[in-house]
Structures are given as C-alpha cells and as structure tokens.
Amino acid sequence: MPEERVDRRLAAIMAADIAAYSRLMGADEEGTLRRLKAHRKELVDAKITEHRGRIVKTTGDGMLVEFVSVVDAVRCAVDIQRGMLERDADLPTDNRIRFRIGINVGDIIIDSGDIFGDGVNVAARLEGLADPGGIMVSSVVHDQVRDKLSFGFEDLGEQEV
Amino acid sequence: MPEERVDRRLAAIMAADIAAYSRLMGADEEGTLRRLKAHRKELVDAKITEHRGRIVKTTGDGMLVEFVSVVDAVRCAVDIQRGMLERDADLPTDNRIRFRIGINVGDIIIDSGDIFGDGVNVAARLEGLADPGGIMVSSVVHDQVRDKLSFGFEDLGEQEV
C-alpha cells in the first residue's frame, strides 16, 4: 500500500500558558480574564503578527503558535516576556499574569489548520519546564539562533522532555 | 540604530554536485552534457517538483535546492540517488554520472530569490563529504527524520564541517 502523503513543513513552534492560572482565576475571575484579554490584544497578538506567527489554537490559558523562522519565534517570545514584565510591574507579584513559553523546531504535519507531531509535543513539554516569565528552548532552537541573536542563554543540559 | 529586518525562514537545504565532473567532461564533453540534461529533466527536476522543492540556483555541475520539509528533502534525495543508480546501471562505473548530496536544516535569509546563511554553507560542506551516489545529512536533519522515514542511517559521528 503506498504511503499516504501528508502535508509537512518545517516550523518553529511556540507553546505558551499562564503560570498559576487556577489561582489567579480563583482570586479574581473577571479581573483576570479582563487583564488577560488586554494583554492578548495589546501585546501578545500584536507581537505574534509582527513576527509573522500564526495562532494555531488557544485553550483557556494556553496558546499554540507557529512561525516560519526560529529567529522570529525567539524574538517574539522575548518581546512578550519583556512586555509582560512592564505591563504588570505595578502589581503585587502574586497578582501578575506571567506566561511560561516553550519553543521547538519540527517537521510538523498540517491538517485542517491544526498542527501535529513530535515537534509540537516537545514544545508543549518545554513550556511546562519554563519558569513563570521565562522561555525554555530545545537545543535545536538554540543551535539555530545562538549566532543570530544577542540574547543570553542558560544551558540546562540534557533534560528528558 | 535599529536592527534591519531581513526575510528569514526555516528550510531544508539540499546541495548537490556531480562526482568527478571534470573527468567525465574531459572524456566526453557533449555526451556528458546531453546525459546530464536528460537526468535533470526526466529524474532530478521531476523529483524536486514532486517533493515541493525549489531550485535556488544551478552552477556547472552543482545545484542548490530548498524544501519546506526535511522529510521531503530526504525523500527527494533518496529518490534521485536510487533513480540515478537505475538509469546508469548499464554503463561502466567510470562513465556513470553520480551525484553527491548534502542536506541541512537552517533558518536562512532570503534575498531576491537567493538564499544565504550558515544553513546553506553547511549543506554545501556536507555535499563535499558525501560519497558519489551518497547522501550526507547533518545531525539536525537526522533528528527530524529518524522516526518518520524507514531509511537506514550510518552515524559518522562528530565531523567538523
């Protein structure tokens, strides 16, 4: 039986979610949603558009975005994290909305606008390992951007993701 | 001074050239060119199109091709090498046209249809290391395709390219 051809492409995948989302919602549901909506509109979505990203899907507090370039994906993530730090600077630490972001590169499968594959799963697992306000990238992302961007990277070594 | 934005994208880059091209041309210039033209038309270009590749440029005996997917690039290279083996099977070994192929993944810069960057340079250096009729891939290519394709890979370890 011939192998069915699937639509594949190389992409940089960014997975993001909000740290301590349940706690924030438990403390102030309407306020958290309102602030999140403003962050999305004024910062996150604008930065994603600027860096030619495509929002694949959003969940309650999560977001999956694909980029055509790794450099764009990392720049976007840094812009978002820096922007969030400024926007919530006046709030007590416990009230701040802070994203955790994971970035990976993969040869992904595209089907009906959604994306699938190891590359996507690993991005989600990297996100889970990121500190609130931080960005965790895979070694292939690091290899692709280390000579192209002026950000510092902290090497966390081999981690099973 | 703000950093100038350049057009970047992730791509799989295939560099190919013909092994012992000068010798083949020295022995039979017109015949070699005629056969090369037929291989290009009937096999190479057809396979590149089939796997959604774009020929960025051709030199005398060389070719630079970009693909949107690593899996596509590797499949295309394997199809070309298998096809060449069949097409020249009846010729004496010394007369066979044999490609050397290098494949890499990179976040490349696109300018006026041409592509630039480390990712391109490394593909060309991998091509130089490939055996005639063979394919040399970088470790990032291998990581992306090993679970997705049924071809065998021989690990040549860390090589300075």
Side-chain angles (χ1 to χ4, degrees):
Chain A
M1 210 173 70
E3 190 178 357
E4 197 185 342
R5 287 296 289 269
V6 294
D7 191 13
R8 286 191 168 278
R9 68 168 166 253
L10 270 165
I13 304 121
M14 179 175 99
D17 78 345
I18 294 167
Y21 184 63
S22 307
R23 182 178 53 71
L24 289 163
M25 288 291 275
D28 177 9
E29 198 172 64
E30 289 186 16
T32 302
L33 279 179
R34 194 181 55 244
R35 286 166 52 214
L36 179 54
K37 212 168 156 184
H39 290 315
R40 280 282 310 273
K41 188 176 166 195
E42 293 158 22
L43 173 69
V44 180
D45 292 20
K47 285 296 172 187
I48 290 170
T49 303
E50 180 186 331
H51 294 284
R52 301 180 297 157
R54 180 179 77 89
I55 298 176
V56 178
K57 65 177 103 176
T58 55
T59 55
D61 68 326
M63 171 179 267
L64 188 65
V65 189
E66 65 160 337
F67 294 85
V68 295
S69 150
V70 199
V71 171
D72 287 344
V74 173
R75 279 200 181 119
C76 182
V78 170
D79 283 358
I80 288 172
Q81 297 296 40
R82 285 181 176 164
M84 289 301 293
L85 212 57
E86 279 174 28
R87 293 172 63 92
D88 274 3
D90 296 338
L91 293 177
T93 311
D94 271 4
N95 293 9
R96 291 181 191 167
I97 292 181
R98 290 185 301 175
F99 289 106
R100 298 183 302 177
I101 298 182
I103 303 175
N104 187 32
V105 168
D107 209 68
I108 55 170
I109 295 170
I110 304 102
D111 190 24
S112 310
D114 204 351
I115 60 177
F116 304 92
D118 283 356
V120 181
N121 304 340
V122 169
R125 289 202 288 274
L126 288 166
E127 168 220 282
L129 294 171
D131 289 326
I135 302 164
M136 181 76 95
V137 308
S138 61
S139 62
V140 52
V141 168
H142 184 222
D143 286 348
Q144 289 296 329
V145 303
R146 64 180 158 197
D147 302 326
K148 304 182 179 95
L149 294 175
S150 53
F151 309 126
F153 288 91
E154 183 183 359
D155 187 358
L156 300 180
E158 296 279 331
Q159 295 211 16
E160 197 68 47
V161 296
Chain B
M1 210 171 73
E3 192 177 356
E4 197 184 340
R5 286 296 287 269
V6 294
D7 191 14
R8 287 192 168 277
R9 68 166 165 253
L10 269 166
I13 304 120
M14 178 174 98
D17 78 346
I18 294 168
Y21 184 63
S22 307
R23 182 177 55 67
L24 289 163
M25 288 292 274
D28 177 7
E29 199 173 66
E30 288 185 18
T32 302
L33 279 179
R34 195 181 54 244
R35 286 166 52 216
L36 180 54
K37 213 168 152 181
H39 289 316
R40 280 283 308 272
K41 189 179 165 190
E42 293 159 22
L43 174 69
V44 180
D45 293 20
K47 284 296 173 189
I48 291 170
T49 304
E50 181 186 331
H51 294 284
R52 301 180 297 159
R54 179 179 78 90
I55 297 177
V56 178
K57 65 175 104 177
T58 55
T59 55
D61 68 327
M63 173 179 264
L64 189 65
V65 189
E66 63 158 338
F67 294 85
V68 295
S69 149
V70 201
V71 171
D72 286 345
V74 173
R75 279 199 180 119
C76 182
V78 170
D79 283 357
I80 288 172
Q81 297 297 38
R82 285 181 175 163
M84 289 302 292
L85 212 58
E86 279 174 27
R87 292 171 65 93
D88 274 3
D90 296 337
L91 293 177
T93 310
D94 271 6
N95 293 10
R96 290 180 191 165
I97 292 179
R98 291 185 299 176
F99 289 106
R100 298 183 301 178
I101 298 181
I103 303 175
N104 188 32
V105 167
D107 208 68
I108 56 171
I109 294 169
I110 303 104
D111 190 24
S112 310
D114 204 352
I115 60 176
F116 303 91
D118 284 356
V120 181
N121 304 340
V122 169
R125 290 202 287 275
L126 289 166
E127 169 221 282
L129 294 172
D131 289 326
I135 302 164
M136 181 76 96
V137 308
S138 60
S139 62
V140 50
V141 169
H142 184 222
D143 286 348
Q144 289 295 329
V145 302
R146 64 182 159 196
D147 302 325
K148 304 182 179 96
L149 294 175
S150 52
F151 310 126
F153 289 90
E154 182 182 0
D155 187 358
L156 300 178
E158 295 280 331
Q159 293 210 18
E160 197 66 50
V161 296

